[in-house]
Amino acid sequence: MSFLSYLINGISLGSIYAIIALGYTMVYGIAKMLNFAHGDIIMVGGFAAFTVVSTLGKNPVLGILAAVFVCTVLGVTIERVAYKPLRGASPLAVLITAIGISYLLQNVALLIFGSNSKQFESVVKIPALKLAGGQLSISGVTLVTIASCIVIMVVLTSFINKTKMGQAMLAVSEDKGAATLMGIDVNRTIAVTFAIGSALAAIAGVLLCSAYPSLTPYTGSMPGIKAFVAAVFGGIGSIPGAMIGGIILGVIENLSKAYISSELSDAIVFSVLIIVLLVRPTGILGKTIHEKV
């Protein structure tokens, strides 16, 4: 039963990574840029929910809605102010800007909330599920996290494939110039992509802090990096790949902590990534892109 418990917890952690990785992979697939401030948007979502639920004493549902709203507005603002002017700049300039935004968000959070860890009150109130005569217990947070990942994946896939905005996103990801000639508003499409990715980061931040109830201005840093690894692992630019990569990453990390070493779990995760990329450089579901010279 211990192995099954570790496996389920790994899937839960991987589901959080998958939700975060969806933001990375959508922005990269459509805007062709890596938003390394994405991990800190998770932290902002956590503090928004914390402020509404713990500080103001409001309903957890309001906390989730506040986190989604704040992160969505923040994501669109960052894209408009910091990334849009660099649309034609070199990838290095965009990367440096993203790192600068990341440090800016962390330091603003330090000024507002301080460096001390905050005890996050879980927004999930459903009881644990007992199986096998009570020998296996699955927490309510774990159940909600896994279910949320599945629902988000289904809804996002349907949105991309069956809506006009989703089709516009696919067109922009293929060729921005051709999409513009077809009458698609590229700037609006990219802004919507950032809004969706940031909203997903808010949900992931609330679920992460509910499962691991400690919140600091640096809470989103490592999960953000690992979610990026998950996106690369699954094939960055691929939505199903982000989900698969996130879940595999979470399972590897949790089993490594349980059976090998908690100190070496991160090293094992990154080692697996290196091995996979040596065998398949585009990731599990990534596609090789041929450029004309």
Side-chain angles (χ1 to χ4, degrees):
M1 287 299 173
S2 294
F3 173 79
L4 193 57
S5 178
Y6 293 138
L7 180 63
I8 293 171
N9 289 332
I11 294 173
S12 175
L13 178 61
S15 296
I16 295 173
Y17 290 154
I19 295 171
I20 304 169
L22 285 171
Y24 274 115
T25 206
M26 284 184 67
V27 169
Y28 179 81
I30 294 168
K32 295 297 183 288
M33 62 160 290
L34 296 173
N35 179 22
F36 279 112
H38 193 66
D40 297 288
I41 295 177
I42 300 167
M43 173 268 296
V44 172
F47 272 115
F50 171 81
T51 301
V52 172
V53 176
S54 298
T55 306
L56 301 180
K58 301 297 183 181
N59 190 287
V61 175
L62 290 177
I64 298 172
L65 293 176
V68 170
F69 175 77
V70 169
C71 289
T72 300
V73 173
L74 178 63
V76 173
T77 303
I78 290 173
E79 191 279 329
R80 181 64 59 90
V81 174
Y83 297 145
K84 185 180 177 182
L86 299 175
R87 196 71 54 79
S90 67
L92 181 60
V94 178
L95 177 63
I96 293 172
T97 301
I99 294 172
I101 294 294
S102 173
Y103 281 113
L104 174 64
L105 293 176
Q106 288 179 14
N107 282 277
V108 169
L110 276 170
L111 287 172
I112 296 173
F113 298 101
S115 59
N116 294 330
S117 177
K118 303 292 189 295
Q119 189 69 21
F120 190 90
E121 181 181 348
S122 176
V123 299
V124 180
K125 303 300 181 182
I126 65 175
L129 177 65
K130 303 287 185 179
L131 299 174
Q135 295 183 19
L136 178 62
S137 178
I138 305 174
S139 69
V141 174
T142 298
L143 293 172
V144 170
T145 301
I146 295 173
S148 298
C149 181
I150 295 172
V151 170
I152 287 171
M153 184 67 197
V154 171
V155 171
L156 191 58
T157 302
S158 299
F159 174 80
I160 295 293
N161 294 326
K162 296 183 179 180
T163 67
K164 188 175 180 179
M165 177 54 69
Q167 294 299 306
M169 289 178 175
L170 291 175
V172 172
S173 69
E174 289 291 331
D175 192 321
K176 290 186 182 67
T180 302
L181 293 175
M182 295 299 292
I184 294 172
D185 189 337
V186 172
N187 291 330
R188 177 170 173 265
T189 303
I190 292 176
V192 171
T193 304
F194 269 85
I196 294 173
S198 299
L200 294 178
I203 295 171
V206 172
L207 292 172
L208 177 68
C209 293
S210 295
Y212 306 93
S214 177
L215 181 60
T216 73
Y218 306 105
T219 291
S221 298
M222 187 53 72
I225 293 173
K226 289 180 180 177
F228 172 68
V229 170
V232 175
F233 189 77
I236 193 161
S238 169
I239 290 176
M243 182 177 180
I244 293 171
I247 291 175
I248 292 176
L249 197 75
V251 170
I252 291 172
E253 180 180 339
N254 222 47
L255 293 180
S256 299
K257 287 180 179 178
Y259 294 107
I260 301 176
S261 169
S262 58
E263 288 81 8
L264 293 176
S265 60
D266 289 345
I268 293 169
V269 165
F270 288 106
S271 298
V272 171
L273 172 69
I274 292 170
I275 293 170
V276 170
L277 293 182
L278 286 174
V279 176
R280 187 172 175 80
T282 57
I284 297 173
L285 297 182
K287 296 180 181 178
T288 303
I289 298 175
H290 301 283
E291 295 186 1
K292 295 181 180 180
V293 179

